[in-house]
Amino acid sequence: MADKIKVFITEQEVNARIAELGAQISKDYEGKEVHLICILRGSVFFMCELAKRITIPVTMDFMSVSSYGNSMISSGIVRISKDLDEPLEGRHVIIVEDIIDSGKTLAHLIPILHTRKPLDIKLCTLLSKPARREVEIQVDYVGYEIPDAFVVGYGLDYAQKYRNLPYIGIVEE
Ligand code: IMP
Ligand code: MG
């Protein structure tokens, strides 16, 4: 049976917000270069749109970590299934995430990346669910803080579906 999806943040709204984040990052890192790390797969759409709105020099790399199976509940297990291709040493790193839920994925990942000696690591997420946080985590750039609902679209999936929706929607059960 098809899932019911309600539009939560329209394509126009989300793109406008990402443009604001891109402008903010360009300002904060003026005169520097940023290295964006995309956490696959959910962050791909956000990272592409964000990178286009950053006006300072940008490089990009991709990594894949798994913390969720095909369900709505966190397994709590975090594993690097595809590592970065390039070193981080001497770079201003920005981790680009689709959504921060419990915070477990990043709480695990950030210390690992720090051992690679970047100049600094900041965190940029399109969405954040503060009510669901289980571990404390510093988020530097947030597109939207949202309530505790399961969202899809703009890269976010439900059992691998709906990543291609151009807006952010809520799955209604
Ligand atoms: P955390 O470790 O609990 O913060 O998990 C973050 C990851 O869980 C995200 O990168 C998503 O892949 C997934 N996730 C959490 N909430 C949602 C949601 O509402 N929709 C789709 N994926 C989600
Ligand atoms: Mg993710």
Side-chain angles (χ1 to χ4, degrees), residues 67-68 74 97-106 129 149-152 156-157:
S67 63
Y68 274 66
S74 174
E97 251 295 28
D98 50 359
I99 186 163
I100 302 176
D101 188 42
S102 71
K104 284 184 195 166
T105 308
L106 289 163
K129 292 184 200 170
F150 199 85
V151 289
V152 294
L156 291 147
D157 73 302

Side-chain angles (χ1 to χ4, degrees), residues 37-44 63-65 95-97 106 109:
I37 294 181
C38 176
I39 309 296
L40 296 169
R41 286 166 262 182
S43 307
V44 167
M63 87 187 293
S64 185
V65 297
I95 299 174
V96 180
E97 251 295 28
L106 289 163
L109 189 62

Side-chain angles (χ1 to χ4, degrees), residues 3-49:
D3 306 295
K4 262 204 185 141
I5 295 168
K6 191 176 76 185
V7 178
F8 179 52
I9 306 172
T10 67
E11 182 176 6
Q12 286 82 354
E13 282 173 324
V14 70
N15 287 339
R17 181 69 189 120
I18 296 171
E20 287 177 1
L21 291 174
Q24 186 65 50
I25 289 169
S26 306
K27 195 169 152 240
D28 293 350
Y29 289 85
E30 205 184 328
K32 298 173 184 159
E33 292 186 21
V34 285
H35 188 58
L36 303 181
I37 294 181
C38 176
I39 309 296
L40 296 169
R41 286 166 262 182
S43 307
V44 167
F45 292 70
F46 175 39
M47 169 121 142
C48 292
E49 193 58 34

Side-chain angles (χ1 to χ4, degrees), residues 14-173:
V14 70
N15 287 339
R17 181 69 189 120
I18 296 171
E20 287 177 1
L21 291 174
Q24 186 65 50
I25 289 169
S26 306
K27 195 169 152 240
D28 293 350
Y29 289 85
E30 205 184 328
K32 298 173 184 159
E33 292 186 21
V34 285
H35 188 58
L36 303 181
I37 294 181
C38 176
I39 309 296
L40 296 169
R41 286 166 262 182
S43 307
V44 167
F45 292 70
F46 175 39
M47 169 121 142
C48 292
E49 193 58 34
L50 180 69
K52 287 190 282 179
R53 306 297 158 214
I54 296 177
T55 52
I56 55 168
V58 166
T59 52
M60 293 180 245
D61 205 346
F62 300 82
M63 87 187 293
S64 185
V65 297
S66 50
S67 63
Y68 274 66
N70 281 347
S71 84
M72 290 188 182
I73 301 153
S74 174
S75 66
I77 301 161
V78 178
R79 187 172 62 89
I80 295 180
S81 43
K82 183 223 172 288
D83 206 341
L84 298 168
D85 289 324
E86 291 177 33
L88 300 181
E89 192 164 355
R91 294 174 130 153
H92 294 290
V93 169
I94 302 179
I95 299 174
V96 180
E97 251 295 28
D98 50 359
I99 186 163
I100 302 176
D101 188 42
S102 71
K104 284 184 195 166
T105 308
L106 289 163
H108 178 86
L109 189 62
I110 290 171
I112 294 174
L113 297 182
H114 269 297
T115 66
R116 302 182 186 184
K117 302 192 171 64
L119 292 174
D120 43 51
I121 300 181
K122 285 196 179 176
L123 184 53
C124 177
T125 187
L126 180 58
L127 305 171
S128 174
K129 292 184 200 170
R132 297 256 313 163
R133 209 71 93 241
E134 288 175 43
V135 290
E136 209 184 309
I137 187 147
Q138 195 199 319
V139 192
D140 304 284
Y141 302 98
V142 183
Y144 297 92
E145 291 201 335
I146 63 167
D148 180 13
F150 199 85
V151 289
V152 294
Y154 221 95
L156 291 147
D157 73 302
Y158 173 43
Q160 297 305 329
K161 287 187 290 184
Y162 311 120
R163 291 190 193 277
N164 60 313
L165 296 178
Y167 55 87
I168 293 168
I170 292 186
V171 183
E172 293 188 319
E173 293 192 81

